[in-house]
Amino acid sequence: MTTFLILCAVMIVAALVLVLVPLLRRDPATMPGQPERPRSVPAAVAVMVTLPLAASALYGLVSNWPWEGTAAALAGAGHGEDGGSMDEATAALAERLRKNPADLEGWRMLGRSYLMTGRPAEAIEAYERASSIAGAKDLGIELDLAEAVVLAGDAGRMPRAKSILDGALEADASNQKALWYAGLLALRADDVETAKARWGRLLEANPPEEIRRILVNQLQQLGVEVPGEAPPAMVAAAPAGAGPVGGMGGMGGGGGGGAVAAEPAGRTVRVAVSVAPDLLTKLKPGTAVFVSAREAGIPGPPLAAVRLSTDELPTTVILSDANSMVEGRNLSAVDEVQVVARVAFGGTAVPASGDLLGEARHSKGAAADVAIVIDKVAP
């Protein structure tokens, strides 16, 4: 936000220069005997005062940013910029909305903040409030609500999420957000054909490269041959010291041979993965285990990931820049990463209710070793 305001100020100054220079410049006479044109000082002063005020007023009129109160609530959202944190900013915004519950954009922003900090259940409540204020007529808010429901795995609200997504696709069959989450919802309901159709349509829409790679991996995992794409490599993570650890290709394949090795490079995190004793009875032989790292608090595709199986636990795997999923986007690009180990009973890279989870955080420059105990069951 600070960068945006500085940019606005620079643009206003540039506009003032363009207008004031001609007004303050003395133009020589164009014909003999004709006096030179004097500087228009009063007009210049008037422009200098009114232009910034008019620009600010116009932006305030057309902008949908909730400046009143919300900006203050989010002032500390920068990573340490003012000594605050995302959690503190979210709490401040929630407190402000308690006093001003009719702020639609505030509730929507609170929902997004909850999603970014991994709290989809609370995001649902925030989006429900926004939806109620908008009379369920704002498609953007409805899709945000459906997203939160799918990510939270809220079975009671899943029919509503499906209704929202189906309605969005009836209105616009190429709505990318609706296609993505409709595919997820179908896959969780074991409706593989619908998942293929939704994600195939989304792939045809030329999404951003990082989304495209996720779609290709998922479609190939569902048995779809994607034109121009090689079959996914089958990758397994090896114990530390037993050779290089497999790369991102394992997100799209099953367990088993033909491993493709990736030498660790750049920032490296050694992850010791184990399972809490009370969850050992839930493990099934050969079940896929995904170990991934993403920027802390930021949803989206992981920065690095490997795949192994429950047969190899406990073990230590290595995540590094060599496991990057998106070119130019790797562990070295961020300061803090959230590392998650997940036992995926469905065998896919899509988190599902009932999966077993464990997580830890790693900061750039810290010791490379982190330990994760898989000790939670996904709701």
Side-chain angles (χ1 to χ4, degrees), residues 184 187-188 190 192 199 214 217-223 232-235 248-256 284-291 306-310 342-357:
L184 280 180
L187 191 61
R188 290 183 181 179
D190 294 325
V192 176
W199 286 344
I214 294 174
N217 282 333
Q218 289 300 308
L219 287 169
Q220 288 179 330
Q221 190 164 299
L222 294 176
M234 310 293 271
V235 183
M248 192 57 206
M251 296 294 282
K284 300 176 182 177
T287 303
V289 179
F290 295 97
V291 182
V306 294
R307 173 179 178 149
L308 56 151
S309 79
T310 51
R342 179 174 62 87
V343 177
F345 291 111
T348 75
V350 181
S353 177
D355 286 351
L356 308 182
L357 305 168

Side-chain angles (χ1 to χ4, degrees), residues 122-185:
E122 291 167 278
I124 292 174
E125 301 304 325
Y127 285 135
E128 287 277 22
R129 296 293 295 267
S131 175
S132 176
I133 294 170
K137 296 179 180 178
D138 186 315
L139 180 58
I141 293 175
E142 296 305 295
L143 285 174
D144 288 342
L145 173 58
E147 175 186 24
V149 170
V150 174
L151 293 178
D154 188 328
R157 289 185 171 97
M158 212 62 80
R160 182 178 178 188
K162 185 177 187 305
S163 176
I164 291 171
L165 295 169
D166 289 346
L169 291 173
E170 286 180 10
D172 178 7
S174 61
N175 186 302
Q176 295 193 13
K177 188 169 185 176
L179 285 170
W180 171 248
Y181 284 106
L184 280 180
L185 209 57

